[in-house]
Amino acid sequence: MLVPTHPESTGDPRTLRWVIPDGQLRVMGRVTRAPALFQELLDTGVLEEAVASPSAVETTLGAGRSWREEGQRVRAALMDALALPQRWQVDNGGGELLDDDAVLALAARDVAEVRLGKLLSSHGGRFDVVGVHEGVVDVRLAGECAECTAAVITMKARFQHLVAARCPWSREVRRVG
């Protein structure tokens, strides 16, 4: 199974964030075990660290390594490992797998804070994701958005569309007090 992914730069030139479809991984934390090829990169120091989330895997190269030399190898091992999501283990204190609502909450917060955050804050407002249950995202419109009719339209037309594109199992976005 080929999992679509693409790298994004971070503030650290040794670290790349590999964006994956939301929910591909149901874990969140520092990777302690992964499928063979990816685990080998961790064991041999090619990767100093990997941190998984439902929407990305952040990989940090070991000392003295470069993305020019190791990039293709890391990508191939990651693609191989993503095909076996049940074999990933992380150090997150609890070790529990994330359910659909937990993944949806993370994606909705990312859309509210990152994708729409600048637009909303430029108007003096924001969307706060206050809860997710059974595929329904509850959002509080805050600041200037609280009384703005355009914000309600943005919430239904734009926010709900972006969340559904990332998490097709989402059912609705609902405004709450």
PDB file of all heavy atoms in Angstrom, residues 98-119:
ATOM      1  N   LEU A  98      -5.003   6.155  19.354  1.00  0.00           N
ATOM      2  CA  LEU A  98      -5.966   7.240  19.214  1.00  0.00           C
ATOM      3  C   LEU A  98      -7.166   6.759  18.408  1.00  0.00           C
ATOM      4  O   LEU A  98      -7.012   6.083  17.398  1.00  0.00           O
ATOM      5  CB  LEU A  98      -5.319   8.432  18.515  1.00  0.00           C
ATOM      6  CG  LEU A  98      -4.079   9.016  19.197  1.00  0.00           C
ATOM      7  CD1 LEU A  98      -3.458  10.093  18.323  1.00  0.00           C
ATOM      8  CD2 LEU A  98      -4.423   9.568  20.555  1.00  0.00           C
ATOM      9  N   ASP A  99      -8.373   7.118  18.848  1.00  0.00           N
ATOM     10  CA  ASP A  99      -9.574   6.744  18.099  1.00  0.00           C
ATOM     11  C   ASP A  99      -9.898   7.834  17.077  1.00  0.00           C
ATOM     12  O   ASP A  99      -9.217   8.867  16.992  1.00  0.00           O
ATOM     13  CB  ASP A  99     -10.757   6.476  19.035  1.00  0.00           C
ATOM     14  CG  ASP A  99     -11.205   7.702  19.820  1.00  0.00           C
ATOM     15  OD1 ASP A  99     -10.774   8.836  19.511  1.00  0.00           O
ATOM     16  OD2 ASP A  99     -12.009   7.526  20.752  1.00  0.00           O
ATOM     17  N   ASP A 100     -10.956   7.611  16.271  1.00  0.00           N
ATOM     18  CA  ASP A 100     -11.325   8.564  15.223  1.00  0.00           C
ATOM     19  C   ASP A 100     -11.559   9.965  15.769  1.00  0.00           C
ATOM     20  O   ASP A 100     -11.141  10.951  15.165  1.00  0.00           O
ATOM     21  CB  ASP A 100     -12.591   8.097  14.493  1.00  0.00           C
ATOM     22  CG  ASP A 100     -12.322   6.991  13.496  1.00  0.00           C
ATOM     23  OD1 ASP A 100     -11.138   6.681  13.230  1.00  0.00           O
ATOM     24  OD2 ASP A 100     -13.307   6.433  12.967  1.00  0.00           O
ATOM     25  N   ASP A 101     -12.243  10.074  16.915  1.00  0.00           N
ATOM     26  CA  ASP A 101     -12.531  11.401  17.466  1.00  0.00           C
ATOM     27  C   ASP A 101     -11.265  12.119  17.915  1.00  0.00           C
ATOM     28  O   ASP A 101     -11.146  13.339  17.750  1.00  0.00           O
ATOM     29  CB  ASP A 101     -13.535  11.302  18.620  1.00  0.00           C
ATOM     30  CG  ASP A 101     -14.968  11.129  18.139  1.00  0.00           C
ATOM     31  OD1 ASP A 101     -15.233  11.324  16.934  1.00  0.00           O
ATOM     32  OD2 ASP A 101     -15.832  10.796  18.983  1.00  0.00           O
ATOM     33  N   ALA A 102     -10.304  11.399  18.470  1.00  0.00           N
ATOM     34  CA  ALA A 102      -9.043  12.025  18.892  1.00  0.00           C
ATOM     35  C   ALA A 102      -8.263  12.542  17.681  1.00  0.00           C
ATOM     36  O   ALA A 102      -7.715  13.651  17.711  1.00  0.00           O
ATOM     37  CB  ALA A 102      -8.198  11.039  19.693  1.00  0.00           C
ATOM     38  N   VAL A 103      -8.229  11.752  16.610  1.00  0.00           N
ATOM     39  CA  VAL A 103      -7.554  12.182  15.380  1.00  0.00           C
ATOM     40  C   VAL A 103      -8.277  13.386  14.789  1.00  0.00           C
ATOM     41  O   VAL A 103      -7.657  14.367  14.376  1.00  0.00           O
ATOM     42  CB  VAL A 103      -7.487  11.019  14.359  1.00  0.00           C
ATOM     43  CG1 VAL A 103      -6.962  11.500  13.016  1.00  0.00           C
ATOM     44  CG2 VAL A 103      -6.619   9.889  14.903  1.00  0.00           C
ATOM     45  N   LEU A 104      -9.609  13.344  14.783  1.00  0.00           N
ATOM     46  CA  LEU A 104     -10.414  14.439  14.257  1.00  0.00           C
ATOM     47  C   LEU A 104     -10.180  15.722  15.060  1.00  0.00           C
ATOM     48  O   LEU A 104     -10.055  16.810  14.497  1.00  0.00           O
ATOM     49  CB  LEU A 104     -11.894  14.052  14.266  1.00  0.00           C
ATOM     50  CG  LEU A 104     -12.908  15.075  13.773  1.00  0.00           C
ATOM     51  CD1 LEU A 104     -12.585  15.569  12.369  1.00  0.00           C
ATOM     52  CD2 LEU A 104     -14.316  14.470  13.830  1.00  0.00           C
ATOM     53  N   ALA A 105     -10.090  15.614  16.366  1.00  0.00           N
ATOM     54  CA  ALA A 105      -9.848  16.790  17.213  1.00  0.00           C
ATOM     55  C   ALA A 105      -8.503  17.431  16.879  1.00  0.00           C
ATOM     56  O   ALA A 105      -8.400  18.662  16.765  1.00  0.00           O
ATOM     57  CB  ALA A 105      -9.908  16.403  18.691  1.00  0.00           C
ATOM     58  N   LEU A 106      -7.474  16.617  16.710  1.00  0.00           N
ATOM     59  CA  LEU A 106      -6.152  17.153  16.360  1.00  0.00           C
ATOM     60  C   LEU A 106      -6.188  17.866  15.013  1.00  0.00           C
ATOM     61  O   LEU A 106      -5.641  18.960  14.850  1.00  0.00           O
ATOM     62  CB  LEU A 106      -5.117  16.032  16.343  1.00  0.00           C
ATOM     63  CG  LEU A 106      -4.750  15.436  17.693  1.00  0.00           C
ATOM     64  CD1 LEU A 106      -3.973  14.134  17.516  1.00  0.00           C
ATOM     65  CD2 LEU A 106      -3.946  16.426  18.515  1.00  0.00           C
ATOM     66  N   ALA A 107      -6.846  17.248  14.029  1.00  0.00           N
ATOM     67  CA  ALA A 107      -6.932  17.853  12.692  1.00  0.00           C
ATOM     68  C   ALA A 107      -7.740  19.146  12.736  1.00  0.00           C
ATOM     69  O   ALA A 107      -7.351  20.152  12.129  1.00  0.00           O
ATOM     70  CB  ALA A 107      -7.559  16.868  11.711  1.00  0.00           C
ATOM     71  N   ALA A 108      -8.863  19.146  13.461  1.00  0.00           N
ATOM     72  CA  ALA A 108      -9.707  20.339  13.540  1.00  0.00           C
ATOM     73  C   ALA A 108      -8.959  21.487  14.202  1.00  0.00           C
ATOM     74  O   ALA A 108      -9.037  22.643  13.761  1.00  0.00           O
ATOM     75  CB  ALA A 108     -10.995  20.021  14.294  1.00  0.00           C
ATOM     76  N   ARG A 109      -8.209  21.201  15.266  1.00  0.00           N
ATOM     77  CA  ARG A 109      -7.428  22.254  15.928  1.00  0.00           C
ATOM     78  C   ARG A 109      -6.357  22.812  14.992  1.00  0.00           C
ATOM     79  O   ARG A 109      -6.103  24.014  14.964  1.00  0.00           O
ATOM     80  CB  ARG A 109      -6.818  21.728  17.221  1.00  0.00           C
ATOM     81  CG  ARG A 109      -7.840  21.602  18.326  1.00  0.00           C
ATOM     82  CD  ARG A 109      -7.254  21.195  19.673  1.00  0.00           C
ATOM     83  NE  ARG A 109      -8.306  21.081  20.643  1.00  0.00           N
ATOM     84  CZ  ARG A 109      -8.917  19.942  20.974  1.00  0.00           C
ATOM     85  NH1 ARG A 109      -8.523  18.801  20.439  1.00  0.00           N
ATOM     86  NH2 ARG A 109      -9.896  19.936  21.853  1.00  0.00           N
ATOM     87  N   ASP A 110      -5.732  21.925  14.223  1.00  0.00           N
ATOM     88  CA  ASP A 110      -4.723  22.370  13.272  1.00  0.00           C
ATOM     89  C   ASP A 110      -5.343  23.279  12.211  1.00  0.00           C
ATOM     90  O   ASP A 110      -4.782  24.327  11.880  1.00  0.00           O
ATOM     91  CB  ASP A 110      -4.046  21.161  12.616  1.00  0.00           C
ATOM     92  CG  ASP A 110      -2.928  21.576  11.687  1.00  0.00           C
ATOM     93  OD1 ASP A 110      -1.950  22.184  12.167  1.00  0.00           O
ATOM     94  OD2 ASP A 110      -3.026  21.297  10.477  1.00  0.00           O
ATOM     95  N   VAL A 111      -6.498  22.902  11.689  1.00  0.00           N
ATOM     96  CA  VAL A 111      -7.174  23.739  10.691  1.00  0.00           C
ATOM     97  C   VAL A 111      -7.523  25.096  11.306  1.00  0.00           C
ATOM     98  O   VAL A 111      -7.289  26.139  10.699  1.00  0.00           O
ATOM     99  CB  VAL A 111      -8.431  23.037  10.135  1.00  0.00           C
ATOM    100  CG1 VAL A 111      -9.280  24.009   9.307  1.00  0.00           C
ATOM    101  CG2 VAL A 111      -8.040  21.833   9.289  1.00  0.00           C
ATOM    102  N   ALA A 112      -8.077  25.093  12.519  1.00  0.00           N
ATOM    103  CA  ALA A 112      -8.489  26.345  13.171  1.00  0.00           C
ATOM    104  C   ALA A 112      -7.300  27.246  13.476  1.00  0.00           C
ATOM    105  O   ALA A 112      -7.363  28.461  13.260  1.00  0.00           O
ATOM    106  CB  ALA A 112      -9.255  26.040  14.456  1.00  0.00           C
ATOM    107  N   GLU A 113      -6.214  26.662  13.967  1.00  0.00           N
ATOM    108  CA  GLU A 113      -5.075  27.469  14.415  1.00  0.00           C
ATOM    109  C   GLU A 113      -4.094  27.801  13.301  1.00  0.00           C
ATOM    110  O   GLU A 113      -3.527  28.893  13.281  1.00  0.00           O
ATOM    111  CB  GLU A 113      -4.353  26.743  15.549  1.00  0.00           C
ATOM    112  CG  GLU A 113      -5.210  26.603  16.798  1.00  0.00           C
ATOM    113  CD  GLU A 113      -4.649  25.626  17.813  1.00  0.00           C
ATOM    114  OE1 GLU A 113      -3.488  25.183  17.656  1.00  0.00           O
ATOM    115  OE2 GLU A 113      -5.385  25.281  18.762  1.00  0.00           O
ATOM    116  N   VAL A 114      -3.878  26.868  12.386  1.00  0.00           N
ATOM    117  CA  VAL A 114      -2.848  27.067  11.366  1.00  0.00           C
ATOM    118  C   VAL A 114      -3.457  27.512  10.037  1.00  0.00           C
ATOM    119  O   VAL A 114      -3.140  28.583   9.525  1.00  0.00           O
ATOM    120  CB  VAL A 114      -1.999  25.786  11.179  1.00  0.00           C
ATOM    121  CG1 VAL A 114      -0.962  25.977  10.091  1.00  0.00           C
ATOM    122  CG2 VAL A 114      -1.336  25.398  12.490  1.00  0.00           C
ATOM    123  N   ARG A 115      -4.325  26.687   9.477  1.00  0.00           N
ATOM    124  CA  ARG A 115      -4.870  26.992   8.146  1.00  0.00           C
ATOM    125  C   ARG A 115      -5.720  28.253   8.133  1.00  0.00           C
ATOM    126  O   ARG A 115      -5.651  29.043   7.204  1.00  0.00           O
ATOM    127  CB  ARG A 115      -5.711  25.811   7.628  1.00  0.00           C
ATOM    128  CG  ARG A 115      -4.959  24.537   7.357  1.00  0.00           C
ATOM    129  CD  ARG A 115      -4.072  24.588   6.129  1.00  0.00           C
ATOM    130  NE  ARG A 115      -4.710  24.927   4.888  1.00  0.00           N
ATOM    131  CZ  ARG A 115      -5.288  24.086   4.052  1.00  0.00           C
ATOM    132  NH1 ARG A 115      -5.329  22.808   4.330  1.00  0.00           N
ATOM    133  NH2 ARG A 115      -5.827  24.517   2.934  1.00  0.00           N
ATOM    134  N   LEU A 116      -6.571  28.447   9.149  1.00  0.00           N
ATOM    135  CA  LEU A 116      -7.445  29.618   9.179  1.00  0.00           C
ATOM    136  C   LEU A 116      -7.027  30.644  10.217  1.00  0.00           C
ATOM    137  O   LEU A 116      -7.582  31.740  10.260  1.00  0.00           O
ATOM    138  CB  LEU A 116      -8.892  29.184   9.453  1.00  0.00           C
ATOM    139  CG  LEU A 116      -9.554  28.347   8.365  1.00  0.00           C
ATOM    140  CD1 LEU A 116     -10.965  27.966   8.777  1.00  0.00           C
ATOM    141  CD2 LEU A 116      -9.574  29.081   7.035  1.00  0.00           C
ATOM    142  N   GLY A 117      -6.051  30.308  11.049  1.00  0.00           N
ATOM    143  CA  GLY A 117      -5.664  31.166  12.161  1.00  0.00           C
ATOM    144  C   GLY A 117      -5.308  32.585  11.784  1.00  0.00           C
ATOM    145  O   GLY A 117      -5.788  33.549  12.394  1.00  0.00           O
ATOM    146  N   LYS A 118      -4.473  32.770  10.769  1.00  0.00           N
ATOM    147  CA  LYS A 118      -4.055  34.120  10.368  1.00  0.00           C
ATOM    148  C   LYS A 118      -5.237  34.932   9.840  1.00  0.00           C
ATOM    149  O   LYS A 118      -5.392  36.099  10.175  1.00  0.00           O
ATOM    150  CB  LYS A 118      -2.955  34.058   9.313  1.00  0.00           C
ATOM    151  CG  LYS A 118      -1.611  33.670   9.866  1.00  0.00           C
ATOM    152  CD  LYS A 118      -0.547  33.696   8.792  1.00  0.00           C
ATOM    153  CE  LYS A 118       0.776  33.225   9.360  1.00  0.00           C
ATOM    154  NZ  LYS A 118       1.814  33.205   8.337  1.00  0.00           N
ATOM    155  N   LEU A 119      -6.064  34.298   9.028  1.00  0.00           N
ATOM    156  CA  LEU A 119      -7.230  34.987   8.492  1.00  0.00           C
ATOM    157  C   LEU A 119      -8.145  35.452   9.617  1.00  0.00           C
ATOM    158  O   LEU A 119      -8.547  36.616   9.666  1.00  0.00           O
ATOM    159  CB  LEU A 119      -8.009  34.064   7.540  1.00  0.00           C
ATOM    160  CG  LEU A 119      -9.391  34.559   7.118  1.00  0.00           C
ATOM    161  CD1 LEU A 119      -9.261  35.753   6.183  1.00  0.00           C
ATOM    162  CD2 LEU A 119     -10.189  33.448   6.482  1.00  0.00           C
TER     163      LEU A 119
END
